[in-house]
Amino acid sequence: MSSGPIASARHPDRREALRLGLGLAGGAALGLAARPALAQEKPFPQIAIEAVLAEGQPFHAARVAEVASAIARKAYVPPPTSLPDAFSNLSFEDYSAIRLRETARVWAGEGRSFSIEPLHRGFIYTNAVTIYVVEDGTIRRVAYDPSRFAFGAQQPPADVGNLDFSGFKVFFGSGREPKREVAVFQGATFFRAIASGQNYGITARTLALQPADSRGEEFPLFRAFWIERPAPGSDSLAMHALLDAPSAAGAVRFTLRPGDMTITDVEVALFPRTNLDHVGIGAMNATYVFGPNDGAADDVRVAAYEVKGLQILNGQGEWIWRPLSNPETLQISAFIDENPRGFGLLQRDRDFSAFQDDLRRFELRPSLWLEPFGEWGKGSVQLIEVPTDSDRNDNVIAYWRPAQPYKAGEEANISYRLFWCWTPPERPPLAIVANTRAGRGASGNRRRFAIDFVGERLADPAAIVEIKPSLSATPGQILDLRLWSYPERRTLRVTFELDPGNETASELRLLLEAAGKAASETWLYRWTP
């Protein structure tokens, strides 16, 4: 897979010089030959970074990929995770009380639109992440200093040393307006962002390796960031990251543009250590606990979910909507495609009454829509649904899985754009699914469904007469199929019953058609007992 521009290791002379200089030929170019003990004390990733991307050195974006390529040729070394006792067993509440003082944010008081808040290590965030900023072309390390933090009830030990950080938050505000938090990069290779007026919800993952795989999932992590200081008044922020995992290393460039719709461009140069046959590109995690299609719940709320469904615009131009569910057992779905045009986990309910949740406010969570740069070839959008009884668990993950493995020793380039939004920028020019309801059928193990389609065309009674449902169940039998028209609400409801017989799963497909053409997005659903 290769698409989009990225600063990658495409300079044979520089790559070879770096490869030799980073110890693959003894480390003499770094002056380590005279100090072999020092070379042994430091892990190779740190040596690699300090060679060309450390304090006081000029920054070149291509060098991040060159370092990633170099460390991918070495065995994986986990980052430091040890912490002083005061920080090693913190509760969530105690950890949340540790905050950087606002005046200590990077670029605070400089009159720039952006500022950065480094995040302390502790709780579940034990991996050390080094943060650098790039100012006037030169790299400056953000030093850990406990005096810059308020610790709440915690008392930091004396002579704590350099703990580095667990990640950082991004704040944005133009002119005299107060800066608001717009993104956070913390934990493995996870990051989140929000549009104006939203609360945090869905989480993006820069790279997923073997999710829900019988071999076990591998979690890549960020080792270091280089954040470019933006010009005064700039509305975009460029960030470079080095990621690492036992089976791969990589370089990432993020370009963040906050606003009514916050956009993040992601460009990855990946260097596999081993053959990667289950890679998740553009992975996104979210919470789905219960909704109208899951039956009654013993809960004072009407529903509980950050996102309502998976939408796909496939390579053939078909719009697909797959409502989410909280299954009894792990469910994995694959939507085979070639050169997808977009996919995402969307929150379509924007009214408080849809949830009646005063605390979680799910109606204010972002939708996340992904658009690939270039052609991604053959593969599938994968959806994993994990049973949960907690609205604090991310139990849904969606991602693109390439059909062809990434081979060890070869470079793979992937790039795409993420929209953290109220409504995606590209929407079906058709009726969309507003609600999916499911419940007990007339007899036996039959299940009754009611699917509400909404669209401007459905406000015209004459146009509705032309619409016919195309519905199938594999396996199973469809019974009592009916249409109910509500022009005043621009709604057409389709009701039917599914008789699965003795089957334990059935794939349902519903499409509204008029004159042989699609009049709605395609509704897909997997029924399980």
Side-chain angles (χ1 to χ4, degrees):
M1 182 185 302
S2 178
S3 61
I6 184 165
S8 60
R10 298 188 182 279
H11 310 285
D13 54 342
R14 185 189 299 165
R15 176 192 282 183
E16 185 64 16
L18 185 85
R19 192 170 73 88
L20 295 174
L22 294 184
L24 298 181
L30 292 180
L32 297 178
R35 294 178 296 162
L38 178 61
Q40 294 174 2
E41 290 170 3
K42 292 184 179 181
F44 184 75
Q46 184 180 346
I47 296 172
I49 291 171
E50 290 180 358
V52 291
L53 286 169
E55 175 77 29
Q57 296 173 330
F59 178 77
H60 300 285
R63 288 182 178 170
V64 183
E66 292 168 350
V67 169
S69 176
I71 67 173
R73 298 172 188 270
K74 292 278 194 175
Y76 175 73
V77 179
T81 58
S82 60
L83 283 168
D85 291 342
F87 303 128
S88 60
N89 294 300
L90 294 177
S91 67
F92 173 76
E93 291 73 18
D94 287 341
Y95 176 72
S96 298
I98 302 176
R99 302 298 297 269
L100 187 79
R101 303 182 194 280
E102 186 172 340
T103 55
R105 292 177 188 163
V106 179
W107 307 319
E110 292 189 14
R112 300 177 193 276
S113 301
F114 290 91
S115 62
I116 304 297
E117 178 182 314
L119 298 172
H120 207 282
R121 292 170 60 201
F123 184 48
I124 61 173
Y125 304 108
T126 58
N127 289 330
V129 179
T130 305
I131 300 176
Y132 299 93
V133 293
V134 180
E135 299 177 347
D136 299 323
T138 301
I139 298 171
R140 178 174 68 83
R141 183 170 181 171
V142 179
Y144 173 80
D145 181 352
S147 68
R148 301 169 66 193
F149 288 89
F151 288 91
Q154 301 300 311
Q155 292 299 320
D159 302 323
V160 67
N162 182 14
L163 296 183
D164 268 333
F165 306 100
S166 64
F168 60 92
K169 293 180 178 180
V170 181
F171 289 79
F172 174 79
S174 57
R176 296 181 178 274
E177 68 178 77
K179 286 182 171 53
R180 62 183 180 90
E181 187 177 336
V182 295
V184 58
F185 292 74
Q186 186 183 36
T189 60
F190 298 168
F191 62 100
R192 296 187 292 171
I194 49 176
S196 298
Q198 291 182 336
N199 295 337
Y200 280 125
I202 189 168
T203 302
R205 301 170 64 173
T206 311
L207 181 66
L209 295 173
Q210 300 176 183
D213 196 298
S214 60
R215 295 168 294 182
E217 183 167 2
E218 185 175 308
F219 289 91
L221 52 86
F222 288 127
R223 288 191 177 273
F225 280 87
W226 293 262
I227 308 172
E228 297 186 36
R229 181 172 63 180
S234 175
D235 62 357
S236 67
L237 182 68
M239 300 164 284
H240 308 262
L242 179 67
L243 68 80
D244 201 7
S247 61
V252 191
R253 176 188 171 97
F254 298 99
T255 305
L256 177 70
R257 293 187 292 276
D260 294 335
M261 181 181 295
T262 293
I263 298 171
T264 311
D265 289 347
V266 183
E267 304 167 78
V268 182
L270 188 64
F271 303 93
R273 287 187 172 94
T274 62
N275 292 336
L276 304 178
D277 60 1
H278 188 174
V279 179
I281 303 299
M284 48 190 77
N285 292 0
T287 299
Y288 183 96
V289 185
F290 70 94
N293 52 307
D294 296 292
D298 186 16
D299 201 299
V300 298
R301 301 171 295 185
V302 179
Y305 48 82
E306 290 181 330
V307 290
K308 191 171 189 177
L310 168 67
Q311 183 154 75
I312 302 171
L313 176 56
N314 66 23
Q316 291 72 49
E318 180 184 18
W319 287 94
I320 294 171
W321 177 253
R322 166 63 154 77
L324 298 176
S325 65
N326 186 357
E328 292 292 329
T329 59
L330 174 72
Q331 296 292 314
I332 302 175
S333 304
F335 305 87
I336 307 300
D337 199 4
E338 183 172 359
N339 299 325
R341 292 161 59 179
F343 67 90
L345 293 173
L346 309 187
Q347 174 59 286
R348 282 185 168 175
D349 290 324
R350 295 302 183 186
D351 194 293
F352 175 80
S353 62
F355 304 99
Q356 293 290 333
D357 191 324
D358 303 281
L359 179 64
R360 307 289 279 157
R361 299 304 300 270
F362 292 111
E363 74 277 8
L364 301 179
R365 308 293 177 96
S367 291
L368 183 56
W369 178 252
L370 180 152
E371 290 185 356
F373 289 149
E375 295 185 345
W376 280 12
K378 294 182 179 180
S380 60
V381 175
Q382 301 240 319
L383 174 66
I384 299 173
E385 296 164 299
V386 182
T388 187
D389 58 3
S390 171
D391 61 14
R392 295 187 180 276
N393 292 335
D394 282 351
N395 64 312
V396 175
I397 177 173
Y399 57 94
W400 173 256
R401 180 176 180 177
Q404 295 299 317
Y406 292 160
K407 296 181 179 180
E410 296 184 0
E411 177 181 349
N413 287 272
I414 311 103
S415 54
Y416 52 90
R417 175 166 290 170
L418 295 174
F419 298 87
W420 310 80
C421 53
W422 296 97
T423 304
E426 191 167 3
R427 286 165 280 179
L430 306 162
I432 66 171
V433 177
N435 282 299
T436 298
R437 302 179 185 278
R440 185 177 57 190
S443 61
N445 62 347
R446 284 163 54 170
R447 300 296 294 173
R448 185 164 182 79
F449 288 84
I451 318 303
D452 288 347
F453 291 89
V454 174
E456 293 300 328
R457 184 175 185 176
L458 304 181
D460 182 359
I464 292 176
V465 172
E466 302 177 356
I467 293 177
K468 307 296 180 185
S470 174
L471 175 62
S472 63
T474 310
Q477 182 181 4
I478 299 296
L479 304 168
D480 196 22
L481 173 62
R482 299 188 187 186
L483 294 183
W484 308 84
S485 176
Y486 301 96
E488 71 280 6
R489 300 201 302 268
R490 303 180 297 114
T491 298
L492 184 64
R493 176 172 292 178
V494 180
T495 62
F496 63 92
E497 291 202 2
L498 167 69
D499 185 351
N502 295 322
E503 302 292 340
T504 58
S506 178
E507 299 288 347
L508 303 172
R509 185 180 189 276
L510 172 62
L511 175 69
L512 300 182
E513 296 179 324
K517 296 182 179 180
S520 72
E521 61 187 4
T522 302
W523 175 85
L524 301 179
Y525 193 84
R526 174 181 291 172
W527 169 82
T528 57

